[in-house]
Amino acid sequence: MERRIVILGAGESGSGAAVLAKKLGFDVFVSDFGSIADKYKELLDRHCIEWEEKKHSEELILNAGEVIKSPGIPDKAPIIVKIKNAGIPIISEIEFAGRYTKAKMVCITGSNGKTTTTSLIYHIFREAGLNVGLAGNIGSSLALQVAEDDKDYYIVELSSFQLDNMYEFRANVAVLMNITPDHLDRYDYEMQNYVDAKFRILQNQKPEDAFVFWNDDPIIRKELPKYKHGKLYPFAEEKHTGAAAYTQEEMIVFTEPTPFNMELEELSLTGKHNIYNSMAAGISANVAGIRKETIREALKSFTGVEHRLEKVAKVNGVEYINDSKATNVNSCWYALQSMKTKTVLILGGKDKGNDYNEIAGLVKEKCSGLIFLGADNSKLLDFFGEYGLPIADTHSMQECVEIAHKMAKSGETVLLSPCCASFDLFKSYEERGKLFKELVCKL
């Protein structure tokens, strides 16, 4: 029993956890209620790991000493309820992998900006010549890297779902970008449950660790006194006592541990939200002792993240931008805020309890038309129907791009920034973004 580990979900994290568990000598079984991708089947077979797909065989699962579950499986799933009732501990792949490495962990969470900030920190560490891995929601599974090629540092993007099943794991540098309503469907529509999940990034921090956070976020400021944490490194738009980074006269000023400045126009990423991402990344690298010259050069040379405000093409004077990774309303707010021209906005997908009031003002100010792309767009039609803007109701990417091509005038922008998860029409936000790019490039 003790040595039996069952892994639920055979995607990137699950298959990686299986390889590490097998290498450590555990009796390993992998079960996926959906179908397993061929590349993961090959990985499991290569390591002689037993697996099943399209079902959960209870007799092979409920005899586990510990269960590692994919972050995508909700706690209400019948098999999870049975595992809990049997008293079997459930952990995340990150929790499991963290037990078997001595690497320093730089962990990033938040409702928005996680992926860009994580990628930016990874870029700086690599430019500094450090032995570093990229893991969590992006990159390769942490467990697989620990099993096959352990590193000195890992830059780990953590979702609230991953944090939910983490207990002993310690972030040497914890970065919290912001907290806005997201995934409320998984947290009983209770904002506090989601906030509590995000703050789990601080559990187990020691005084010598670092907590980097956005000081202008009212929720973070309100919650912070409840928690033990490492040394505080807040970043803010304006100078205030104790800020580790702030903006002043078109510059970012980094104050500690090593003070240095950088002109905003030197940053490779544009838009206010990317100034925050650059501050968080710069502080994290500064705390790790990376030279200020290296940080400055890396913040200049970073090329951005796919599906995040990614310029696709200009067709007949119309700029097409792929922001498919905007799976919540706040992400779309940032995208709209950075638009310099009138915009045809593409919205829709699997709604997670969204409140569109947050973008209402920006839609009225910036948009020349709206295209809804989803299996069921009735909520969007109800909310935006009165705005007096041209509206199209579409149910495929082909139809959506054709209408965008007709609707947008020269000098305008077509922005795919859906506010919603992709699972109604697409496998993932990546698939949604790739298809958008392919079809735009055929125009």
Side-chain angles (χ1 to χ4, degrees):
M1 286 277 289
E2 285 301 303
R3 299 296 294 171
R4 180 168 173 83
I5 285 193
V6 171
I7 292 151
L8 298 183
E12 181 65 36
S13 73
S15 53
V19 171
L20 177 59
K22 181 79 176 182
K23 185 183 172 188
L24 292 163
F26 286 96
D27 167 20
V28 185
F29 178 64
V30 178
S31 175
D32 197 314
F33 204 64
S35 36
I36 301 176
D38 289 344
K39 66 172 180 176
Y40 296 128
K41 284 181 184 170
E42 285 160 19
L43 179 68
L44 296 171
D45 288 344
R46 197 162 69 242
H47 289 89
C48 305
I49 294 164
E50 205 184 328
W51 54 266
E52 66 175 3
E53 62 180 347
K54 299 181 184 163
K55 62 179 177 190
H56 286 318
S57 304
E58 290 179 21
E59 68 280 6
L60 297 172
I61 294 170
L62 296 177
N63 60 356
E66 199 163 41
V67 168
I68 300 170
K69 108 175 162 63
S70 156
I73 302 171
D75 284 345
K76 294 184 177 72
I79 191 68
I80 300 296
V81 174
K82 286 178 179 165
I83 292 165
K84 284 185 171 172
N85 289 342
I88 302 165
I90 300 173
I91 59 168
S92 72
E93 170 249 343
I94 305 284
E95 173 78 11
F96 181 65
R99 294 172 184 171
Y100 302 103
T101 174
K102 293 192 164 59
K104 289 264 194 268
M105 299 288 176
V106 181
C107 301
I108 300 91
T109 196
S111 306
N112 304 102
K114 287 193 293 293
T115 303
T116 300
T117 304
T118 304
S119 305
L120 199 44
I121 295 172
Y122 176 62
H123 174 68
I124 301 170
F125 276 59
R126 242 187 7 195
E127 292 295 294
L130 295 170
N131 177 24
V132 59
L134 178 67
N137 268 356
I138 51 174
S140 306
S141 124
L142 178 64
L144 192 63
Q145 293 181 71
V146 169
E148 295 185 341
D149 179 25
D150 202 6
K151 304 282 196 279
D152 299 330
Y153 292 90
Y154 288 104
I155 316 300
V156 189
E157 179 189 321
L158 294 175
S159 70
S160 54
F161 301 160
Q162 284 161 319
L163 287 161
D164 281 336
N165 291 106
M166 287 165 65
Y167 305 97
E168 303 298 326
F169 184 92
R170 172 181 165 205
N172 303 98
V173 178
V175 182
L176 180 53
M177 297 305 297
N178 49 33
I179 300 181
T180 60
D182 192 13
H183 300 300
L184 295 187
D185 52 335
R186 276 277 288 264
Y187 291 101
D188 301 322
Y189 296 94
E190 278 293 333
M191 182 66 180
Q192 190 62 46
N193 295 346
Y194 174 64
V195 171
D196 293 347
K198 287 295 188 194
F199 267 93
R200 289 175 72 87
I201 197 164
L202 292 181
Q203 61 188 359
N204 310 311
Q205 272 213 323
K206 298 189 172 165
E208 64 270 26
D209 296 328
F211 178 39
V212 180
F213 65 97
W214 184 32
N215 195 65
D216 302 339
D217 188 309
I219 295 176
I220 296 177
R221 281 215 309 273
K222 175 175 158 281
E223 296 285 320
L224 191 55
K226 296 182 188 173
Y227 294 90
K228 279 185 172 168
H229 46 70
K231 183 168 167 22
L232 298 179
Y233 292 92
F235 58 92
E237 187 168 0
E238 291 176 7
K239 183 176 183 177
H240 74 92
T241 314
Y246 57 88
T247 57
Q248 191 173 34
E249 293 166 0
E250 299 303 306
M251 278 202 308
I252 294 182
V253 179
F254 291 96
T255 63
E256 59 172 338
T258 303
F260 69 99
N261 300 346
M262 183 163 181
E263 289 187 23
L264 293 182
E265 61 180 31
E266 289 187 312
L267 295 173
S268 70
L269 298 175
T270 56
K272 183 184 278 190
H273 57 296
N274 278 322
I275 295 172
Y276 296 136
N277 297 341
S278 300
M279 284 182 189
I283 295 168
S284 302
N286 199 349
V287 166
I290 294 172
R291 294 169 62 241
K292 59 186 180 185
E293 294 78 10
T294 307
I295 299 173
R296 206 184 272 125
E297 284 308 311
L299 289 174
K300 280 185 199 174
S301 63
F302 182 67
T303 51
V305 174
E306 194 180 8
H307 311 300
R308 168 57 77 227
L309 286 173
E310 179 191 12
K311 288 183 178 175
V312 180
K314 205 166 198 175
V315 184
N316 300 345
V318 175
E319 184 86 69
Y320 287 79
I321 293 179
N322 165 28
D323 195 40
S324 179
K325 201 169 187 313
T327 56
N328 60 37
V329 181
N330 196 238
S331 285
C332 177
W333 183 90
Y334 280 116
L336 277 175
Q337 199 197 31
S338 67
M339 291 298 113
K340 304 275 192 282
T341 67
K342 279 287 181 190
T343 299
V344 171
L345 175 63
I346 302 166
L347 291 173
K350 184 176 183 296
D351 186 298
K352 298 179 285 187
N354 289 348
D355 178 359
Y356 296 106
N357 282 303
E358 190 180 345
I359 56 168
L362 280 171
V363 167
K364 287 173 182 165
E365 178 194 339
K366 304 259 187 174
C367 292
S368 57
L370 296 171
I371 300 173
F372 303 143
L373 170 64
D376 175 8
N377 297 319
S378 51
K379 184 175 170 181
L380 290 164
L381 287 160
D382 288 347
F383 190 91
F384 293 106
E386 320 272 289
Y387 280 38
L389 291 167
I391 283 179
D393 182 17
T394 72
H395 306 286
S396 77
M397 188 59 85
Q398 178 84 41
E399 184 189 8
C400 167
V401 170
E402 283 170 7
I403 288 175
H405 183 50
K406 290 182 187 136
M407 197 185 273
K409 302 177 187 66
S410 180
E412 293 188 341
T413 300
V414 172
L415 172 66
L416 170 68
S417 190
C419 286
C420 300
S422 57
F423 309 127
D424 59 339
L425 297 178
F426 309 97
K427 287 197 192 82
S428 62
Y429 74 80
E430 291 97 338
E431 185 190 63
R432 175 168 65 187
K434 283 194 170 84
L435 194 55
F436 176 70
K437 292 196 288 185
E438 280 167 23
L439 292 166
V440 166
C441 291
K442 286 180 185 163
L443 288 173

